[in-house]
Amino acid sequence: MQEYIVVQLSRFFHPQFEFIHSRVKNGALEDLGIRIPRPLGNGPSRFIPEKEIQVSKVDPRTQSIFEDAFAALGRLDNISLVMGFHPQYLENFLKTQHYLLQMDGPLSLHYRHYIGIMAAARHQCSYLVNLHVNDFVQVGGDPKWLNGLEGAPKKLQALGELNKILAHRPWLLTKAHIENLLKAEEHSWSLAELIHAVVLLTHYHSLASFTFGCGITPEIHSDGGHTFRPPSLSQYCVCDIANGNGHGNHPEEKLGNHQEVSGEVEVLMERMKQLQECRDEEEASQEEMATRFEREKTESMLVATAEDDECVPSRDVSRHFEDPYGYKDFSRRGEHVPTFRVQDYSWEDHGYSLVNRLYPDVGQLLDDKFQMAYNLTYNTMATHKDVDTSMLRRAIWNYIHCMFGIRYDDYDYGEINQLLDRSFKVYIKTMVCSPEKTTKRMYESFWRQFQHSEKVHVNLLLMEARMQAELLYALRAITRYMT
């Protein structure tokens, strides 16, 4: 896969590359003693078979998006290749990310990449950290900052607390946190700079979720993406073995669950039909709706994430944040999450305009991306066509917001338990709250009759719902500071 991308796109820009590639394939360079790197993984994802992501078979529009991305960045990363299942979304995503990182804005370029590193490191996402370490240096960032957060300017160090709270417990964010950043004398942030930083932090927290949720592998030219060892009979990557992500199947699971899997889609479709009929017949009272939300919020706290082993981040990642503060710290104590009513503060009525006012055009870009993820549909479920999936998409989005304490008064949270089974909830909670614990087995355990493109679609929903939830808490705190 990576070889195809390099060959096809490099031909587009460098015709002489074809000659070099033929020499590599024929082993002529190795005969001269030149070491040739080989990819450690099989394709862009550890979870999705390489044959499913066939760049040679993409439609002209997707091919054009890939070529534009390569021309702008000089690379086509594996995140884009996996998002390529959904080109409409990918186009919005790349446009937004390009604006945040490269277009005119309150923050300098090297600050933007360093904030990306800080955000990705909260979830020990070495893939994104390494990507932005390279970009940080290329735009003139001081390499000394990469030795650890203590080596960065005081202004960025002060952002560490906001980064930590947003990533793991955003409901604890108050206007006092905002005031500390805006009134820090010589190290203070402007409102516009802070909005830019908040958008970057939430973007990379949620992108870390997508990266782990789809099992994204490093590109061949990246750290951890290649080896100089000759190919062996065992194609396991060390990280696959450590995380239970081996390429072999689990026959005992496949055989034992065959009957359970059969008819999974039809059962889900029947439940959607029944819920729609119940909606048409009667509507629950506001008191009952509130009770169902509180029950679902409490139950979501009790859903376990993946194997609760202690995750010790590598030094290369952990040096970019100060402590191992994370989601599990409070979930084990059963801490109460307060309710955030969307009717009191919403993205559409409040957050959007605040972002657009302080960081022009970004509110619109984010809104387009949220809407694209939320409304994206092909009216299919596995092999079934002409299916209205809006009820299911809303349940997924609202369940994620429910985990963050965010409530929609007009939504019946009783629908969530009807549409999302326990294995799916475990996957959602792990990917959103502790994405570094996501494994291939977890990815395979939910929606087993669905296509990989549909699971990637789910991950886009999870990513955007998480980003919007974090943004709501941050923007509400900023609004309270301003009023």
Side-chain angles (χ1 to χ4, degrees):
M1 167 56 63
Q2 192 69 37
E3 179 184 73
Y4 177 86
I5 296 297
V6 172
V7 173
Q8 293 301 316
L9 293 178
S10 296
R11 275 180 185 163
F12 182 75
F13 295 105
H14 303 291
Q16 69 270 26
F17 185 85
E18 192 165 354
F19 167 75
I20 298 171
H21 179 251
S22 68
R23 301 282 288 181
V24 173
K25 284 192 72 174
N26 294 330
L29 296 181
E30 287 184 315
D31 293 343
L32 295 174
I34 298 174
R35 302 169 76 205
I36 306 299
R38 292 181 174 82
L40 268 177
N42 292 325
S45 165
R46 294 198 307 277
F47 300 170
I48 305 170
E50 188 175 8
K51 64 183 180 182
E52 296 272 346
I53 311 172
Q54 289 290 347
V55 179
S56 58
K57 297 179 181 176
V58 299
D59 58 80
R61 180 184 181 185
T62 308
Q63 185 70 28
S64 175
I65 294 170
F66 284 163
E67 289 175 358
D68 289 346
F70 188 86
L73 298 172
R75 64 171 182 255
L76 184 61
D77 60 47
N78 285 341
I79 287 176
S80 297
L81 289 178
V82 173
M83 285 185 182
F85 278 119
H86 306 286
Q88 288 176 286
Y89 174 85
L90 175 61
E91 192 166 27
N92 264 355
F93 173 85
L94 291 175
K95 182 179 179 182
T96 303
Q97 185 168 261
H98 177 76
Y99 196 99
L100 293 176
L101 292 175
Q102 296 179 270
M103 301 298 284
D104 289 343
L107 294 174
S108 59
L109 296 183
H110 63 297
Y111 259 55
R112 302 180 198 193
H113 290 293
Y114 198 82
I115 291 169
I117 293 168
M118 289 174 63
R122 283 304 331 168
H123 288 306
Q124 303 149 40
C125 187
S126 57
Y127 176 90
L128 290 174
V129 167
N130 290 334
L131 202 63
H132 287 281
V133 162
N134 293 332
D135 290 341
F136 172 78
V137 173
Q138 284 181 7
V139 297
D142 186 346
K144 292 178 183 176
W145 297 10
L146 299 175
N147 292 327
L149 193 55
E150 66 278 3
K154 296 288 186 184
K155 184 172 179 175
L156 281 169
Q157 290 183 39
L159 198 65
E161 183 73 7
L162 179 66
N163 181 28
K164 177 173 73 173
I165 294 173
L166 271 180
H168 306 295
R169 303 163 75 176
W171 47 87
L172 295 184
L173 201 61
T174 67
K175 69 176 182 180
H177 292 107
I178 305 304
E179 188 172 8
N180 288 340
L181 290 166
L182 296 175
K183 294 187 175 180
E185 298 176 357
E186 72 269 24
H187 307 302
S188 66
W189 292 73
S190 71
L191 267 173
E193 287 175 331
L194 186 57
I195 288 288
H196 195 170
V198 162
V199 173
L200 284 168
L201 289 173
T202 57
H203 175 81
Y204 282 104
H205 292 157
S206 57
L207 190 55
S209 283
F210 182 86
T211 300
F212 283 114
C214 289
I216 302 295
T217 58
E219 293 80 17
I220 188 172
H221 61 274
S222 305
D223 291 345
H226 62 267
T227 180
F228 290 103
R229 294 178 181 176
S232 63
L233 291 176
S234 173
Q235 292 298 312
Y236 282 114
C237 167
V238 173
C239 56
D240 286 335
I241 297 170
N243 292 315
N245 292 331
H247 301 295
N249 293 322
H250 303 284
E252 70 285 354
E253 290 183 10
K254 301 273 184 184
L255 292 172
N257 293 330
H258 179 72
Q259 288 183 327
E260 182 186 336
V261 174
S262 180
E264 175 188 45
V265 181
E266 289 74 17
V267 169
L268 185 53
M269 289 174 63
E270 181 59 30
R271 285 179 180 170
M272 289 164 61
K273 180 182 176 183
Q274 291 173 356
L275 285 171
Q276 186 58 56
E277 290 171 353
C278 289
R279 273 186 189 176
D280 297 339
E281 290 174 8
E282 60 177 329
E283 192 173 305
S285 66
Q286 280 298 312
E287 292 78 11
E288 178 61 24
M289 300 266 265
T291 300
R292 291 175 184 177
F293 168 78
E294 291 297 333
R295 185 185 304 129
E296 190 60 52
K297 183 175 71 171
T298 302
E299 288 181 4
S300 76
M301 296 286 291
L302 302 175
V303 172
T305 53
E307 297 82 5
D308 231 4
D309 299 334
E310 193 71 27
C311 286
V312 180
S314 67
R315 172 62 186 156
D316 284 346
V317 174
S318 64
R319 64 185 172 184
H320 298 295
F321 58 88
E322 295 174 323
D323 56 70
Y325 175 104
Y327 185 87
K328 64 185 174 188
D329 292 341
F330 73 85
S331 61
R332 284 177 173 169
R333 294 202 305 265
E335 179 180 310
H336 177 69
V337 178
T339 296
F340 180 125
R341 295 177 72 250
V342 169
Q343 278 65 23
D344 298 332
Y345 196 95
S346 69
W347 165 255
E348 293 81 5
D349 297 333
H350 306 91
Y352 167 85
S353 57
L354 177 61
V355 173
N356 248 13
R357 188 164 80 248
L358 294 170
Y359 190 8
D361 299 326
V362 171
Q364 187 61 55
L365 287 168
L366 292 176
D367 191 61
D368 290 344
K369 189 159 64 77
F370 291 147
Q371 292 293 331
M372 176 61 69
Y374 187 87
N375 294 317
L376 184 65
T377 182
Y378 305 95
N379 298 113
T380 60
M381 284 179 65
T383 57
H384 298 268
K385 298 181 179 179
D386 300 318
V387 182
D388 181 357
T389 62
S390 57
M391 180 184 290
L392 186 56
R393 284 180 278 119
R394 189 179 187 194
I396 294 169
W397 186 279
N398 286 1
Y399 179 64
I400 295 155
H401 280 196
C402 178
M403 292 192 302
F404 286 92
I406 298 171
R407 181 190 168 204
Y408 296 84
D409 285 353
D410 61 347
Y411 182 69
D412 182 357
Y413 287 84
E415 293 185 2
I416 289 174
N417 275 338
Q418 297 293 315
L419 299 175
L420 313 183
D421 64 26
R422 184 162 185 80
S423 63
F424 193 12
K425 284 184 174 182
V426 169
Y427 176 80
I428 290 174
K429 184 170 182 180
T430 303
M431 185 184 150
V432 172
C433 301
S434 305
E436 61 276 9
K437 295 181 181 179
T438 309
T439 65
K440 184 177 182 181
R441 189 174 300 188
M442 291 179 59
Y443 173 88
E444 291 176 339
S445 70
F446 82 93
W447 283 15
R448 285 161 288 185
Q449 285 188 310
F450 286 75
Q451 299 176 47
H452 288 289
S453 61
E454 292 173 304
K455 291 193 172 189
V456 171
H457 186 178
V458 165
N459 286 340
L460 296 178
L461 272 174
L462 304 189
M463 174 173 69
E464 295 299 344
R466 176 188 177 172
M467 182 177 183
Q468 191 180 96
E470 286 189 31
L471 269 178
L472 282 173
Y473 279 106
L475 297 174
R476 184 181 68 170
I478 292 172
T479 299
R480 285 177 173 176
Y481 166 81
M482 294 170 65
T483 54

